[in-house]
Amino acid sequence: MDATRPYLVLGLDPGIASCGFCLLDMTNHKILEMGSHLFKAPQEDKTKTSLAVTRRKARSIRRNTARTAARLKHCLELLAGAGLVPADADKTWLQTKKGDKPILKLRAGGLDRLLTDREFAQVLYSLCGRRGYIPHGEGRLGETDEDESKKVLGAIKKNQDAMAAGSYRTVGEMLNAQGRSRNRGGDYSLCVYNSQIQDEAKALFASQRARGNTKATRELEDSYLACLTWEKKSLDHDTRVYELVGPCSYFPGEKRAASADVSSELCRACERLGHIVIVHEDGTEQALTAGEIDDYLKILFSTAPIKGNKECKVTYGTIRKDLDISGKSVFKGIAQDKEKDEPFAPKAWRSLRRVLPERLLARMLEDRNLGDAVCEALTFASSEASLIERLSDLDLSDDERDAILAVPFTGKLFKGYGSRSLKALRLLLGAFEEPEIRILTDAEKATGLLDLRLSDRGVRGQLLPPYDSYDPTCRNPVVLRAMGRMRHIVNAIIRIHGVPDEIHIELGRDLKMSNKEKSLVDKRNRENAASNKKWATTAAGILGCTPEEVPGRIIRKLILREEQGEKDLYTGDSIDLEHLVRDDRYCEIDHILPYSRTCDDSRANKVLVLSKSNQDKRERTPYEWMTSGEADAPSWDSYRARVMAQVKNPRKRANYLNTDLGPETQAKFLARNLNDDRYMSVAVKNYLEDCLLFPEDGRKRHVTAVAGGATGNLRWVWGLNFGEGNIKDRTDDRHHAVDAAIIAACSESTVKKVAEASAKGREAFKQLRKSRLADTQPWPTFAAEVAARCELVVPTRMADHGVTGRAFQDFSYRLEGLRETGYAEISRQTDPATRERRSDAAGNYALSSDGTVKLLDAIAFVRFWHDPDAGKNGKWYAEPVYCADIPAIQNGSYVPKYQKQKVARNSWLPVPDSAMHNEPLVLFQGDVLIIDSHVGRFWTYAIGGGTLNILSLLDKNEKAECFPPISKWVNSVEVRVLQEDCLGHCYDGISINPEDSTFRQR
């Protein structure tokens, strides 16, 4: 380090609702910044579903409602123009009244008798409102990935079969026979195609003309059918969406190619097949040859189904059989029970093979420009019209174009884009055609793409730009929110201290894991919970206690004992169950490969052995111990046979049978266990490294993604968990700041020191604890300083003053009367089965035009108006502002009214003019409120009692009781909102009482 300037290391712990940060001055041994920043994740509180899903559904419903209304309005104009309805009639003129025949009977009867003008208009208007299902490339039943589309297409198929079986002329006639035409929520059983509704309309027009209805003209029929098939123009929409596709990771000027492109799937197939490694029983490894890879590519991208292999699959089991691989050999990284899986499945190509003719598929393979253009069009288009437009410039016959239109192009298979452009893909595929090139890195080197990928992208600066400008393709609201808050913190630190020399990050598991990984983790957690419960019950029966009282270490030992066939795999000796449970010193959990040399604390590196075996092995690998020549060392060959027979996990077996843990192998283990370069970690690393102008110090990497296992070990060794039993206290939001401090201190050399320290003085752990701490911390007093600084950390919150929330509750209620206090008597249904009802009083309501009552839902914010001249000492008026009030505020018709207890909201009085001369104090949820010397976080406002619910700044579950009620806010009381900054510098003048977590201004 350069002693003339501070060497700054920033630690970041970003998650989906928090970001811990810590800035260390490694030269002068100082903690410059440390804090926890919290924000609300854009998810539903209960289901954890993204709010974007809810918004998209609501927006879709609003748009469909508006389009239906516009279509019906135009339909009514057509009917009025034809003289079927009066010129001044509205939709109520067509509503079914007492004595009218149901619309469904009119639809069926209109095929055999003359309908009156009103009856005919009712039928046409009804069909236009519910015009059937219009497919947009979903394909045939069984060819779509969307669950809802599958249900719709399945129901349509059943109705088509029912029409054929019953010889019905129209769907109206079929539905009339069934007695209903409307689906209920979640039910799709009565779905039909829009084309079938068109056929019914044509049949009705023909029938009425044949029976003398002169108003059912062909001109009206053509205009009506055009209205019945109205669709939004999708080409402009598709073009706008395509403009959001990001740049290639190699060529920034090129757009990314569609994931479904022939070149995209071919390149991924070459990568996956080239990375397959077969580990034989003797430890040697084998990869697929270029010829074998070519053979498997021909199967995967066959233009026609193969006899006996209709889907043209290649599985690990297929490869084992083809290459005559021994049953004792394994595929590296693949469990034996997963060998039915495929290394790669070209799903888009399979979908094309089911629909397109073999001749066209052969053309697309031979001329990949054509194949890629077809797949680009399928990915681009969201409607048939848009797809036709995109295909118009391609060299395709009419039959070929019609075949492509039958592809289910709106399913998941034809959505999304990769990270490489077509230009890059074709360069890589050209390299893969060379026999000596089998893996991606070699292909990148051969084409020069590796240097392009590793070179700087864009112009670096002193501050981070918005993440959506760095990666315009990211549309995940959770990721965007987390990135935005992290950027806010990093930029605030840079403005004060400059760009750090290093940045260490550790991402929260929920942010960096894919949905598939999350589901697998949930499944594994359920299985582990069941296993833990079983062994806890077994141990409790031996110890004579309850399962809840069984220590976790005993359960972990019992699980490993079962996994190892109830034996010490080192020696082959049996492990007695009762002795194991009763005597904690009988067996120990050991690291197969020494932790001090690998930093591997995963389950794949854990083994249960007799205590003597562990003491004899010491800090050596099983191979080093058993081939050392010591008289009492076990036989390597016997040990190896036990492992081969009992251990199924390939990674764990590789650890057991490792024969080379030299410096190079150790470095690989350290790199794997100290860093986490997957998924979101890669995105965050690239974002920070590509955009920030780091000091020129000769370092190749300035941003490191630190693995959670490494920081967890450091936290435990340094005594920074703070929870009972030295377990991290996750209920205290300040733990994010402590995590960030450890992340900042977590260099590879530091973690290695922890590993080496853990190997010293195993029997004298307590006596050597202080020396271990001194040896492993970045400076001797680091842990003590972190603990002391943590006491001064006040978690900050994002100041989100946007107005979000529902204006009204979902249900409307029948109004039964109004009380003198303005409360509305509403009728609620208590039992859907018996339809019993009860009357309730509602104070926060709005009367609808139809006389029903809607209840107001969310409060947007609360305003407090100060009238210093009211009474002797002044007065504050509380005005809750609801989300339903926002439109009135925007159009200027809103009148501020203050709350009066036991009076309905509609009867509240306007805020006096004397109070409105002053600007109001506005409180949003999460704002920090200062009342005299008391400081707390406003959370909710109770309408019933007119009280504020204020929480402690430290404990989100603790209510601050020391605040005076609103009635006590007089002129002499200071009331203000604290402007909170993300770094928490606003609290530098606030003292904390650790006894009761209350706050006072200094």
Side-chain angles (χ1 to χ4, degrees):
M1 298 181 189
D2 183 357
T4 61
R5 60 175 293 274
Y7 190 87
L8 304 181
V9 179
L10 174 62
L12 294 172
D13 181 30
I16 62 173
S18 64
C19 185
F21 59 90
C22 181
L23 182 67
L24 303 182
D25 178 351
M26 304 298 285
T27 303
N28 300 304
H29 295 174
K30 290 182 180 179
I31 301 176
L32 301 179
E33 299 285 353
M34 182 175 168
S36 292
H37 183 60
L38 310 175
F39 48 92
K40 185 174 176 60
Q43 295 178 326
E44 298 285 356
D45 291 333
K46 292 183 178 179
T47 63
K48 304 303 179 184
T49 303
S50 172
L51 293 180
V53 174
T54 305
R55 287 197 296 270
R56 281 196 296 269
K57 288 181 179 178
R59 184 171 64 242
S60 177
I61 291 171
R62 289 196 301 270
R63 288 174 175 172
N64 286 337
T65 301
R67 289 176 189 137
T68 301
R71 190 171 64 250
L72 288 174
K73 180 181 178 181
H74 182 66
C75 177
L76 190 61
E77 292 171 353
L78 291 177
L79 298 177
L84 288 171
V85 300
D88 59 347
D90 60 17
K91 62 181 181 181
T92 59
W93 190 84
L94 294 169
Q95 290 177 352
T96 303
K97 300 174 183 176
K98 187 176 182 180
D100 289 346
K101 289 186 178 295
I103 300 295
L104 200 54
K105 290 192 177 298
L106 293 178
R107 289 171 62 179
L111 298 172
D112 301 313
R113 71 173 178 87
L114 180 66
L115 300 176
T116 67
D117 286 354
R118 183 169 179 272
E119 288 176 334
F120 190 37
Q122 282 180 309
V123 170
L124 296 179
Y125 191 80
S126 173
L127 290 178
C128 196
R130 296 189 175 274
R131 57 177 181 164
Y133 182 71
I134 300 179
H136 291 98
E138 289 86 348
R140 297 183 293 273
L141 182 62
E143 293 180 355
T144 177
D145 294 321
E146 305 290 347
D147 291 338
E148 190 174 31
S149 294
K150 286 181 178 179
K151 294 177 182 178
V152 171
L153 293 175
I156 290 174
K157 179 66 167 58
K158 287 182 180 179
N159 287 328
Q160 287 177 324
D161 294 341
M163 281 194 65
S167 301
Y168 298 111
R169 291 169 290 179
T170 65
V171 292
E173 192 174 29
M174 179 195 69
L175 295 174
N176 181 57
Q178 295 180 5
R180 66 187 184 98
S181 63
R182 296 278 296 271
N183 286 319
R184 297 182 177 87
D187 176 26
Y188 302 93
S189 60
L190 300 179
C191 284
V192 296
Y193 280 128
N194 174 262
S195 59
Q196 293 174 288
I197 298 296
Q198 292 180 54
D199 293 339
E200 180 176 355
K202 292 174 184 177
L204 286 168
F205 268 100
S207 172
Q208 295 306 299
R209 279 196 298 268
R211 286 167 174 76
N213 189 335
T214 59
K215 296 178 182 178
T217 64
R218 291 195 179 276
E219 290 77 15
L220 176 61
E221 180 180 353
D222 292 341
S223 300
Y224 176 77
L225 290 175
C227 177
L228 190 66
T229 56
W230 266 6
E231 286 191 80
K232 65 176 182 178
K233 293 182 179 179
S234 58
L235 186 60
D236 293 340
H237 168 76
D238 293 343
T239 302
R240 289 195 299 271
V241 171
Y242 185 70
E243 288 173 356
L244 298 176
V245 176
C248 170
S249 55
Y250 301 106
F251 302 107
E254 300 276 337
K255 279 193 175 293
R256 301 175 182 182
S259 299
D261 285 356
V262 178
S263 294
S264 293
E265 292 202 321
L266 266 172
C267 192
R268 295 204 301 275
C270 290
E271 290 177 51
R272 301 286 180 83
L273 292 170
H275 282 88
I276 290 176
V277 176
I278 302 146
V279 182
H280 295 294
E281 188 178 2
D282 59 1
T284 59
E285 296 183 351
Q286 172 188 347
L288 299 183
T289 66
E292 290 165 347
I293 291 176
D294 287 341
D295 290 340
Y296 290 131
L297 288 175
K298 289 175 183 177
I299 295 174
L300 291 173
F301 293 90
S302 172
T303 58
I306 299 172
K307 187 176 181 181
N309 186 7
K310 184 178 178 181
E311 290 296 314
C312 303
K313 291 184 178 181
V314 174
T315 65
Y316 290 101
T318 303
I319 298 172
R320 179 183 291 278
K321 182 179 178 181
D322 291 346
L323 304 185
D324 195 21
I325 299 172
S326 165
K328 295 183 178 180
S329 300
V330 297
F331 290 92
K332 195 170 186 177
I334 305 297
Q336 287 187 330
D337 60 348
K338 297 291 184 181
E339 289 193 7
K340 292 183 180 179
D341 295 348
E342 302 174 78
F344 178 73
K347 295 181 179 179
W349 182 259
R350 285 178 185 169
S351 179
L352 295 175
R353 186 167 52 226
R354 296 188 194 108
V355 180
L356 300 185
E358 185 177 351
R359 183 178 176 182
L360 176 57
L361 289 172
R363 279 188 65 200
M364 291 170 62
L365 269 185
E366 184 178 348
D367 181 3
R368 280 209 296 269
N369 290 333
L370 173 64
D372 291 336
V374 168
C375 294
E376 286 283 332
L378 291 167
T379 304
F380 173 91
S382 64
S383 70
E384 189 173 279
S386 179
L387 179 57
I388 291 172
E389 177 70 22
R390 293 286 288 188
L391 294 175
S392 61
D393 296 332
L394 302 183
D395 181 20
L396 297 168
S397 66
D398 292 341
D399 290 341
E400 289 174 336
R401 192 172 287 107
D402 291 342
I404 294 171
L405 292 175
V407 173
F409 60 90
T410 61
K412 291 181 180 178
L413 296 181
F414 294 95
K415 288 181 181 177
Y417 293 80
S419 60
R420 306 159 183 158
S421 64
L422 285 172
K423 179 179 177 180
L425 287 169
R426 286 161 188 163
L427 286 171
L428 290 172
L429 285 172
F432 279 127
E433 290 175 0
E434 300 297 327
E436 67 275 8
I437 295 178
R438 287 193 294 253
I439 63 174
L440 177 62
T441 304
D442 292 342
E444 287 182 316
K445 289 178 181 177
T447 55
L449 293 177
L450 183 62
D451 293 335
L452 289 175
R453 180 165 62 83
L454 297 178
S455 63
D456 293 343
R457 290 187 295 177
V459 179
R460 295 183 180 184
Q462 294 290 331
L463 296 173
L464 285 172
Y467 187 74
D468 56 0
S469 67
Y470 169 75
D471 183 5
T473 63
C474 182
R475 288 291 175 270
N476 187 321
V478 175
V479 173
L480 290 174
R481 175 72 65 88
M483 292 293 201
R485 299 320 299 167
M486 184 185 70
R487 167 184 174 259
H488 198 57
I489 290 168
V490 172
N491 284 349
I493 290 174
I494 290 175
R495 288 188 180 100
I496 299 172
H497 304 281
V499 179
D501 296 85
E502 293 181 43
I503 298 180
H504 299 169
I505 58 170
E506 178 193 319
L507 266 72
R509 185 176 67 179
D510 288 342
L511 185 60
K512 71 184 179 184
M513 293 178 72
S514 65
N515 288 333
K516 182 177 180 180
E517 283 184 313
K518 290 177 186 177
S519 64
L520 290 175
V521 168
D522 291 340
K523 180 181 178 181
R524 188 162 59 245
N525 287 341
R526 291 192 296 269
E527 293 172 350
N528 290 342
S531 177
N532 291 348
K533 184 177 180 180
K534 178 187 74 171
W535 288 116
T537 303
T538 300
I542 296 173
L543 296 173
C545 63
T546 63
E548 291 74 20
E549 295 175 306
V550 177
R553 64 181 180 276
I554 292 180
I555 296 174
R556 290 191 292 272
K557 288 181 178 180
L558 291 173
I559 292 172
L560 284 172
R561 174 180 178 271
E562 180 185 41
E563 179 187 299
Q564 297 169 192
E566 303 176 3
K567 292 182 179 181
D568 174 349
L569 289 181
Y570 288 168
T571 62
D573 295 336
S574 297
I575 298 177
D576 182 69
L577 174 62
E578 188 165 339
H579 196 175
L580 171 64
V581 173
R582 293 189 181 280
D583 185 357
D584 198 34
R585 295 172 297 179
Y586 172 58
C587 288
E588 297 176 1
I589 297 177
D590 181 37
H591 290 102
I592 303 168
L593 301 179
Y595 180 78
S596 58
R597 296 159 65 184
T598 62
C599 290
D600 187 355
D601 195 42
S602 66
R603 292 181 62 178
N605 198 37
K606 298 284 184 65
V607 60
L608 179 71
V609 294
L610 298 171
S611 295
K612 184 178 185 306
S613 300
N614 196 19
Q615 293 164 10
D616 291 342
K617 173 178 170 281
R618 302 194 299 275
E619 293 301 314
R620 296 180 289 184
T621 68
Y623 180 77
E624 291 168 347
W625 173 35
M626 296 174 192
T627 59
S628 63
E630 296 176 4
D632 55 350
S635 163
W636 169 257
D637 291 336
S638 300
Y639 160 77
R640 187 172 178 279
R642 286 192 295 272
V643 170
M644 293 297 297
Q646 188 62 38
V647 181
K648 306 300 182 186
N649 185 309
R651 183 181 168 192
K652 193 163 193 175
R653 186 191 298 177
N655 286 343
Y656 274 116
L657 301 180
N658 182 282
T659 59
D660 177 21
L661 196 59
E664 291 185 6
T665 309
Q666 288 185 40
K668 291 179 181 179
F669 273 101
L670 291 172
R672 183 177 69 195
N673 295 316
L674 299 180
N675 299 306
D676 189 342
D677 294 339
R678 299 163 60 246
Y679 302 107
M680 277 305 303
S681 300
V682 175
V684 177
K685 278 182 60 182
N686 291 342
Y687 177 42
L688 294 170
E689 208 152 41
D690 292 346
C691 298
L692 287 180
L693 187 62
F694 288 93
E696 293 293 339
D697 56 5
R699 291 175 59 90
K700 290 184 178 180
R701 290 193 310 173
H702 292 272
V703 184
T704 305
V706 181
T711 57
N713 283 313
L714 284 171
R715 189 186 303 109
W716 182 83
V717 170
W718 292 343
L720 292 174
N721 280 327
F722 303 133
E724 185 177 349
N726 198 16
I727 297 174
K728 182 163 71 170
D729 183 6
R730 296 183 182 274
T731 62
D732 188 341
D733 288 323
R734 292 175 294 181
H735 82 267
H736 300 297
V738 177
D739 288 347
I742 298 168
I743 291 165
C746 189
S747 65
E748 292 188 6
S749 59
T750 302
V751 178
K752 191 171 182 182
K753 287 179 182 178
V754 174
E756 292 170 349
S758 68
K760 297 177 183 177
R762 184 183 297 273
E763 296 81 14
F765 179 82
K766 293 181 180 179
Q767 292 82 348
L768 293 177
R769 185 177 180 84
K770 290 183 179 179
S771 64
R772 291 179 182 180
L773 290 173
D775 288 343
T776 59
Q777 296 174 69
W779 61 84
T781 59
F782 174 76
E785 291 177 29
V786 170
R789 183 68 176 254
C790 180
E791 293 297 321
L792 302 176
V793 169
V794 178
T796 61
R797 281 191 174 270
M798 175 184 174
D800 187 1
H801 288 173
V803 177
T804 60
R806 295 190 306 177
F808 299 99
Q809 294 183 15
D810 290 332
F811 302 103
S812 295
Y813 300 96
R814 188 169 64 206
L815 177 65
E816 296 187 339
L818 295 174
R819 297 182 181 179
E820 291 183 1
T821 54
Y823 279 84
E825 292 282 352
I826 61 174
S827 176
R828 294 179 187 263
Q829 181 173 296
T830 58
D831 188 347
T834 62
R835 298 192 176 183
E836 292 182 0
R837 307 185 75 85
R838 75 163 189 264
S839 293
D840 284 338
N844 298 330
Y845 63 88
L847 292 175
S848 302
S849 58
D850 59 359
T852 58
V853 175
K854 299 204 75 171
L855 302 185
L856 274 64
D857 198 327
I859 291 180
F861 50 84
V862 184
R863 292 196 291 202
F864 294 89
W865 300 86
H866 183 211
D867 185 355
D869 299 325
K872 293 182 179 180
N873 300 311
K875 184 176 181 180
W876 287 81
Y877 298 94
E879 178 208 1
V881 179
Y882 287 79
C883 291
D885 297 327
I886 301 303
I889 292 176
Q890 291 173 339
N891 63 34
S893 62
Y894 178 77
V895 177
K897 295 182 178 182
Y898 67 92
Q899 185 206 1
K900 193 172 182 181
Q901 291 187 39
K902 298 183 180 179
V903 174
R905 184 172 182 271
N906 290 349
S907 300
W908 290 352
L909 298 176
V911 176
D913 291 339
S914 56
M916 294 187 67
H917 289 311
N918 303 314
E919 285 293 322
L921 179 133
V922 183
L923 273 183
F924 288 82
Q925 186 183 61
D927 281 348
V928 176
L929 183 65
I930 297 180
I931 302 179
D932 278 348
S933 61
H934 305 290
V935 187
R937 193 176 300 281
F938 164 68
W939 206 247
T940 56
Y941 182 78
I943 297 294
T947 57
L948 296 171
N949 181 18
I950 300 177
L951 306 180
S952 164
L953 294 181
L954 280 188
D955 190 344
K956 58 190 174 186
N957 299 314
E958 180 182 341
K959 187 176 180 180
E961 304 286 355
C962 56
F963 282 79
I966 299 171
S967 60
K968 301 293 184 182
W969 296 6
V970 294
N971 291 340
S972 59
V973 175
E974 179 194 20
V975 182
R976 66 185 178 93
V977 175
L978 179 68
Q979 298 302 315
E980 209 172 12
D981 65 292
C982 62
L983 300 184
H985 289 175
C986 58
Y987 295 112
D988 291 345
I990 305 291
S991 63
I992 304 172
N993 181 358
E995 296 297 326
D996 57 5
S997 297
T998 57
F999 296 77
R1000 299 286 188 273
Q1001 287 184 282
R1002 292 173 183 166

